[in-house]
Amino acid sequence: MAATLSLSKFTSPPPKIPRSPSKSLPNSLSIAKSQSPVSESTQKSWNPISVDLKSTSLPLAALTLPFFLESKEALAVGGEFGILEGRSVALIHPVVMGGLFLFTLYAGYLGWQWRRVRTIQDEINELKKQLKPVAVTPDGSPADKPLTSSPIESKIQQLTEERKELIKGSFRDKHFNAGSILLAFGVLESVNGGLNTWFRAGKLFPGPHLFSGAAITVLWAAAAALVPAMQKGNETARNLHILLNAVNVTLFIWQIPTGIDIVLKVFEFTTWP
C-alpha cells in the first residue's frame, strides 16, 4: 500500500504554472522598444521634417507632371534622348538650311559685285587703248578740242562712274564676311542634320539627300581654302572658287525636293515638342 502511494506520487505530472498573458505582453513590448534602433524622442524629432518634405514635394510633382505625361508621345525611337527625338528639334535643320540657301545666293551676289569692281577696270583700260591720240600744242593743251566726246570716251566715263559706286558698296568685305558665316553655320548644321536623324531613327539613311549634303559641305570647305590664293591675285583660284560655288548652288537646289520629303516624314512619325 505504501509502495503504491509512493509510486503514484512519483509518476504524477508536475503542476503547471499558469502564465498571465497580461504580464507577458508588456514584457514583449518593452523588449521590442529596447531593441528598436530609433528612440521615441528621435522619432518625434524627425516627424516634422518628414512632413515638410512631403509638403514641398507635392507642388513640385504637380508642376512637372504635365511635362512627363506627354513626353513619350514626342519620342520617335526609345526615348533615350528625350526632346532631341521630337519634332521641334527635327525642324531646326530644314529651317536653318532654307535660310542658308537664301544666304548663299546673297553671298554669291556680293562676290559677283566685287568681281565686277576688278573686271570693270580692265574694260576701262582696254577702251583707253582704242582712243586716238590728240594733237597738242607746244604748251601741252589740245590743238583742236572736239565739241562732243566720242562714243568710246562716253563709255569710259560711264564705267568710271559705275566703278566708283561699286567701290562705295564695300563688296569685298561684305563678301568675305558672308562667306565666313556661311562656312561656319553650314558645316555646323550639316553635322547637326545627320545627328538629328540618328537621334530620331537610330541610324542614317544613305541616299541622294545625305550624299548631296555631304558634297555641299566639302565644296564649302574647298571654296574657302582658295581664299589665300585669291587674295594674292591668282586668277585660276578665283575662277575655281566661282566654279565650286556654282556646283554648290546647283546641288542645293537639287536637294530641296528630297528635303521636303524628309520634312513630311518628320510630321508623320513625330509629335510636338
Side-chain angles (χ1 to χ4, degrees), residues 7-248:
L7 181 61
S8 62
K9 289 181 180 181
F10 181 77
T11 58
S12 62
K16 294 183 179 180
I17 301 173
R19 295 183 179 180
S20 175
S22 61
K23 293 183 179 180
S24 61
L25 181 59
N27 292 335
S28 61
L29 290 177
S30 61
I31 294 174
K33 287 184 179 181
S34 62
Q35 293 178 351
S36 177
V38 181
S39 63
E40 183 177 357
S41 60
T42 308
Q43 290 180 355
K44 289 182 179 180
S45 63
W46 277 93
N47 285 335
I49 300 177
S50 62
V51 172
D52 292 339
L53 291 176
K54 291 180 180 178
S55 60
T56 55
S57 62
L58 180 59
L60 291 176
L63 290 175
T64 57
L65 183 60
F67 296 96
F68 289 102
L69 286 178
E70 301 295 332
S71 60
K72 288 297 181 181
E73 296 183 2
L75 306 180
V77 187
E80 295 87 355
F81 302 102
I83 196 173
L84 295 178
E85 300 179 16
R87 183 180 297 173
S88 301
V89 178
L91 292 179
I92 293 177
H93 179 73
V95 171
V96 173
M97 295 306 291
L100 288 179
F101 172 70
L102 298 178
F103 195 74
T104 299
L105 299 179
Y106 174 68
Y109 164 76
L110 296 175
W112 186 259
Q113 292 298 95
W114 166 237
R115 181 178 175 82
R116 182 63 179 159
V117 173
R118 300 194 317 270
T119 58
I120 200 171
Q121 184 61 48
D122 297 336
E123 296 180 16
I124 293 173
N125 295 336
E126 290 296 327
L127 290 174
K128 286 181 177 180
K129 293 179 181 180
Q130 300 178 15
L131 291 175
K132 296 179 180 180
V134 180
V136 295
T137 59
D139 58 354
S141 60
D144 296 325
K145 185 176 181 180
L147 299 178
T148 58
S149 59
S150 65
I152 296 178
E153 290 176 341
S154 300
K155 185 67 175 177
I156 290 175
Q157 184 66 24
Q158 177 186 352
L159 293 176
T160 302
E161 295 297 328
E162 182 180 353
R163 187 173 185 274
K164 290 180 180 179
E165 293 297 324
L166 290 173
I167 291 176
K168 292 179 181 179
S170 302
F171 290 106
R172 176 186 177 183
D173 296 336
K174 291 180 179 179
H175 178 65
F176 182 84
N177 294 334
S180 300
I181 294 173
L182 185 63
L183 176 65
F185 283 93
V187 173
L188 176 65
E189 194 53 40
S190 296
V191 176
N192 177 58
L195 289 176
N196 180 257
T197 301
W198 184 77
F199 284 146
R200 289 185 291 106
K203 61 180 179 179
L204 296 179
F205 299 94
H209 192 83
L210 179 63
F211 295 144
S212 60
I216 289 172
T217 307
V218 172
L219 289 173
W220 274 330
L226 295 171
V227 172
M230 294 165 56
Q231 292 175 340
K232 295 178 181 180
N234 191 323
E235 198 65 28
T236 302
R238 290 171 176 169
N239 294 331
L240 185 57
H241 179 82
I242 295 174
L243 177 62
L244 293 178
N245 283 290
V247 175
N248 194 316

